Amino acid sequence: MEDLTKDLETGFITELDRYLYNNGRHYEIYEKLGAHPKTYNGKQGMYFAVWAPHASQVGVVGDFNGWNPDLNPMVPLADSGIWEVFVPEVGPGQLYKYSVTTSSGKILFKADPYAFYAEFRPQTASITYDLSAYTWKDQAWVKEREKQDPLSGPVSIYEVHLGSWKRKNREDKEGFYTYKEAAHELAEYIKDMGYTHIELLGIAEHPYDGSWGYQVTGYYAPTSRYGTPDEFMYFVDTMHQNGIGVILDWVPAHFPKDAHGLSEFDGEACYEYADPRKGEHPDWGTKVFDYSKYEVCNFLIANALYWVEKYHVDGLRVDAVASMLYLDYGRDQGDWVKNCGGGNENLEAIEFFKHLNSMVKKRGKGAVVIAEESTAWPKVTDQPENSGLGFTFKWNMGWMHDFLEYMKLDPYFRKYNHHKMTFGLTYFTSEKYILVLSHDEVVHLKGSMINKMPGLLEDKFSNLKLGYTFMLGHPGKKLLFMGQDFGQFHEWDEKDSLDWYLAREPLGENLLDYVRDLLHLYRKYPALYDNDYVWKGFSWINANDNEHSIFSFIRHGKGSQNSLLFVLNFTPVKRPEYRVGVPKQGKYTLVLDTSHGLYEKDKTALVYKSEKTPWDGQDNSIAYPLPAYGAAIFCF
């Protein structure tokens, strides 16, 4: 065994590997820890390595040794907390776990934190897997992505939970679409609709469907619910070949207490903080990663790079950022620990984010990192050298809250809440925002998007079309959860498919057609995306017509690009000759309205010539028949 250890130290995990890992700088550590096909002394087999610094003994068990902890003991590598062993005649596709003997003598059976594949739940074993077989065909996409600036490009995201987007009537794996099956249908749908990206909930392996993938046990394993790692590569590859970016939800904030997972991995606090006042989330019943440990930060940062480099994903949406930044998040007075300066900021998590985002920017070839951060923490999307966290984008949760509160109101009361729609335009340059209407807003008795709208059935659809038009015009990238583009009535339920028949009903089909028109309009006119984060990209025409609940504003393009004038009526009252000021003389072409959709489809666009009638503080104006719940977009 000593000879084996010496040889492995010089061949597999080297002294340099250990140094980098123990100092949080081994960005390919997943190539060393975990299970890897190797040849040793002329024999093919599998090399296993795991970090378990408090263990008194570790072994690898599996279907290849009858799950016997005594048959394949692992050897500790000096001063590293890493254990290793080579097991001959073990190949890809075999089940395994680690048998971890704690300092008290108890034996724990743990899944591999670095496993590339895992059993279909409720089974919990890891599966040996070789990631090197897949041949990618998306080189053109990746090369082009590296040259693009995501801040000045169009980003319209379709948020999807694969297990409930669609299901098939079959018994295997409860009718889930496989990655391969979903790839083609989703790519066709997304291309037709005009979204630029897809964002996937819950791809990393997780034991409980009801967590939606936000309580992870296999950070390096695409969930086996939908297929193999190669099949997930095929999914991403297919999206890229169809011009669609792929964003994954990623959860570095916390992990569940399942016995086979990371919780007390070697019998003590290993991946989590030891003090429960820092190491447990009382709201969620989960463990909090210990960002003071280099090995834990290395595990997470290498994982982010793993998804970008091995699976070619275009971005990560980081879940629950606020819970990481604040030591008192979700905790009562006296149940949290202040930082060294007496504050509530988690200084270790702050440094983790700066490190993470710097490395993704450096190595990610244009991949983005998005913060789901629900507070007013400053400089989330500013660079670390400017005391920022370094994220590419931040979800605009404040806009989402105000927008939905306004849209839910009976139109009579909207004039008293006009500020809810204008407030977001006072701070849109403070961060690089994405406007989101996400899955979180259509669960837990919050109601689906269509059922948030006031009025009778047709009023609801009219309101939703109007609301989506305002969202399109508001500066910031866009995200919409699946089903809300055709008026899904039921709240989202991860156990059931969307009600796709609604997309064939007249009102649902009309809404879907309209959202498609909005998305194609968005991609056609750079004024809607290339000046998202500067004041010159937006100007009000009239922000103060609260009596009529009408908003009018302009999105400005760069240089000689076309600008777009938006006029939106949030009441059921028609305005036959609604006059709106315009910034210059000339022709204003109606390119889209809520009654007709996109005019260019049938070449019937109407042109309005400005009049020298001062209005809204402008020298010129146009008059337009604005319908009830009507919106119009003019190009000039």
Side-chain angles (χ1 to χ4, degrees):
M1 187 62 68
E2 291 180 0
D3 290 340
L4 174 63
T5 304
K6 181 179 179 182
D7 197 281
L8 290 177
E9 284 188 19
T10 59
F12 294 160
I13 292 188
T14 66
E15 184 176 351
L16 177 59
D17 288 328
R18 299 199 302 270
Y19 172 81
L20 291 172
Y21 175 60
N22 293 142
N23 285 276
R25 294 294 189 273
H26 199 316
Y27 303 116
E28 302 89 23
I29 190 61
Y30 54 83
E31 301 280 15
K32 300 291 183 172
L33 297 184
H36 301 278
K38 297 288 184 183
T39 299
Y40 172 67
N41 279 349
K43 292 184 178 181
Q44 292 185 336
M46 197 69 61
Y47 170 75
F48 297 90
V50 65
W51 182 62
H54 307 112
S56 61
Q57 179 58 52
V58 182
V60 62
V61 297
D63 50 8
F64 47 82
N65 65 7
W67 301 90
N68 187 334
D70 298 323
L71 292 185
N72 296 110
M74 303 178 79
V75 177
L77 297 179
D79 301 322
S80 67
I82 297 173
W83 300 72
E84 66 174 357
V85 70
F86 175 82
V87 183
E89 300 180 0
V90 175
Q94 297 195 257
L95 304 179
Y96 73 101
K97 283 187 177 181
Y98 295 115
S99 61
V100 182
T101 304
T102 70
S103 58
S104 65
K106 183 179 180 180
I107 298 179
L108 308 174
F109 292 94
K110 292 287 190 176
D112 186 352
Y114 288 86
F116 296 145
Y117 192 32
E119 280 190 291
F120 180 62
R121 58 107 176 97
Q123 306 305 316
T124 58
S126 302
I127 304 174
T128 56
Y129 201 88
D130 184 358
L131 289 180
S132 64
Y134 186 79
T135 301
W136 288 89
K137 301 176 183 176
D138 67 345
Q139 291 80 5
W141 169 272
V142 174
K143 186 177 180 179
E144 183 64 23
R145 183 186 72 192
E146 191 170 3
K147 296 186 296 184
Q148 299 300 318
D149 175 13
L151 299 178
S152 61
V155 177
S156 53
I157 303 168
Y158 185 60
E159 189 188 31
V160 173
H161 178 262
L162 274 185
S164 57
W165 184 67
K166 286 185 180 180
R167 289 198 180 184
K168 293 195 170 185
N169 293 322
R170 62 186 188 198
E171 295 182 359
D172 62 309
K173 292 192 175 181
E174 303 168 32
F176 292 139
Y177 269 56
T178 67
Y179 292 119
K180 279 195 168 185
E181 291 167 339
H184 295 287
E185 287 201 33
L186 267 169
E188 182 180 352
Y189 182 81
I190 292 167
K191 282 181 67 177
D192 173 60
M193 291 298 295
Y195 296 100
T196 64
H197 292 72
I198 184 172
E199 181 177 318
L200 298 175
L201 277 68
I203 290 303
E205 192 58 80
H206 52 283
Y208 176 49
D209 289 15
S211 77
W212 312 331
Y214 293 115
Q215 296 192 12
V216 178
T217 51
Y219 275 81
Y220 286 81
T223 178
S224 58
R225 287 167 175 81
Y226 317 125
T228 68
D230 273 27
E231 289 173 326
F232 183 58
M233 291 180 183
Y234 180 90
F235 177 95
V236 177
D237 205 359
T238 301
M239 291 295 157
H240 287 173
Q241 291 177 63
N242 282 278
I244 301 163
V246 179
I247 299 167
L248 302 186
D249 279 5
W250 188 59
V251 192
H254 62 128
F255 55 89
K257 298 179 182 179
D258 295 68
H260 68 287
L262 298 177
S263 180
E264 297 184 348
F265 186 80
D266 53 11
E268 301 180 33
C270 186
Y271 285 87
E272 66 267 49
Y273 285 108
D275 188 333
R277 293 175 298 171
K278 292 181 71 175
E280 296 201 18
H281 270 307
D283 290 346
W284 303 328
T286 54
K287 296 282 191 175
V288 181
F289 281 106
D290 184 347
Y291 310 106
S292 71
K293 292 178 182 174
Y294 290 133
E295 296 87 353
V296 173
C297 291
N298 203 151
F299 171 80
L300 291 169
I301 293 171
N303 183 245
L305 294 170
Y306 165 81
W307 291 110
V308 171
E309 296 176 359
K310 288 293 185 181
Y311 286 93
H312 296 199
V313 303
D314 304 281
L316 300 170
R317 197 278 286 179
V318 183
D319 183 63
V321 168
S323 75
M324 299 170 65
L325 291 173
Y326 296 95
L327 292 166
D328 57 347
Y329 185 92
R331 295 176 175 88
D332 296 327
Q333 187 68 31
D335 292 336
W336 59 278
V337 182
K338 295 180 180 180
N339 65 32
C340 58
N344 67 341
E345 305 91 351
N346 189 328
L347 304 179
E348 296 148 1
I350 293 170
E351 290 308 308
F352 165 79
F353 281 133
K354 292 179 179 180
H355 188 181
L356 164 74
N357 290 318
S358 296
M359 292 313 302
V360 174
K361 182 177 181 180
K362 180 178 180 180
R363 297 177 48 143
K365 296 182 178 179
V368 302
V369 189
I370 304 165
E372 187 227 4
E373 202 285 309
S374 55
T375 74
W377 187 280
K379 297 188 175 184
V380 171
T381 55
D382 206 343
Q383 297 307 310
E385 55 266 30
N386 296 329
S387 301
L389 297 182
F391 285 94
T392 319
F393 296 113
K394 173 182 172 174
W395 275 20
N396 195 335
M397 312 291 278
W399 172 87
M400 175 272 299
H401 179 269
D402 290 343
F403 172 80
L404 291 179
E405 287 300 305
Y406 181 89
M407 292 304 302
K408 287 187 288 188
L409 289 169
D410 182 296
Y412 177 81
F413 296 103
R414 286 176 174 169
K415 61 185 176 182
Y416 305 113
N417 292 270
H418 202 71
H419 63 283
K420 291 186 183 297
M421 297 291 265
T422 60
F423 182 57
L425 281 310
T426 66
Y427 64 83
F428 74 88
T429 63
S430 62
E431 298 280 5
K432 310 302 188 295
Y433 285 116
I434 298 178
L435 308 184
V436 294
L437 296 174
S438 75
H439 66 280
D440 280 327
E441 307 317 311
V442 293
V443 291
H444 301 322
L445 303 180
K446 293 179 182 177
S448 65
M449 206 60 65
I450 192 69
N451 276 328
K452 295 180 194 297
M453 302 298 111
L456 300 176
L457 187 61
E458 291 191 7
D459 294 330
K460 289 178 179 294
F461 278 90
S462 296
N463 268 282
L464 197 52
K465 289 166 68 175
L466 181 61
Y468 288 160
T469 311
F470 181 84
M471 180 182 183
L472 176 85
H474 193 295
K477 311 308 181 186
K478 324 295 178 188
L479 178 143
L480 188 63
F481 184 56
M482 64 180 193
Q484 309 315 312
D485 48 9
F486 62 76
Q488 170 81 12
F489 272 94
H490 292 297
E491 281 195 330
W492 172 55
D493 186 338
E494 82 282 349
K495 299 184 292 298
D496 296 319
S497 171
L498 296 181
D499 294 329
W500 282 99
Y501 72 90
L502 293 172
R504 299 186 294 274
E505 297 288 331
L507 288 172
E509 185 177 26
N510 179 264
L511 175 60
L512 190 65
D513 287 344
Y514 186 75
V515 172
R516 182 189 295 109
D517 287 350
L518 288 176
L519 291 167
H520 283 278
L521 184 78
Y522 173 69
R523 297 182 73 159
K524 178 178 179 179
Y525 289 97
L528 294 173
Y529 55 77
D530 65 2
N531 268 333
D532 267 329
Y533 306 116
V534 291
W535 287 110
K536 65 181 180 181
F538 175 91
S539 62
W540 283 110
I541 293 296
N542 192 338
N544 302 311
D545 192 359
N546 61 297
E547 191 60 35
H548 299 113
S549 295
I550 295 176
F551 304 86
S552 52
F553 56 84
I554 293 174
R555 290 300 306 275
H556 299 280
K558 293 179 179 177
S560 61
Q561 292 174 357
N562 291 116
S563 295
L564 295 174
L565 167 67
F566 284 71
V567 186
L568 304 104
N569 175 15
F570 283 87
T571 72
V573 181
K574 295 179 182 179
R575 307 293 173 184
E577 286 292 318
Y578 187 78
R579 185 165 292 276
V580 58
V582 293
K584 63 181 182 179
Q585 292 183 6
K587 295 179 180 180
Y588 289 77
T589 302
L590 182 63
V591 293
L592 178 143
D593 64 26
T594 43
S595 302
H596 186 278
L598 198 59
Y599 277 87
E600 68 179 22
K601 290 186 299 184
D602 51 19
K603 311 296 184 184
T604 60
L606 302 175
V607 177
Y608 292 80
K609 194 173 186 303
S610 66
E611 304 169 20
K612 293 184 177 180
T613 303
W615 209 263
D616 294 327
Q618 308 292 326
D619 293 333
N620 298 274
S621 60
I622 60 173
Y624 168 72
L626 190 59
Y629 297 128
I633 304 176
F634 299 87
C635 172
F636 65 96

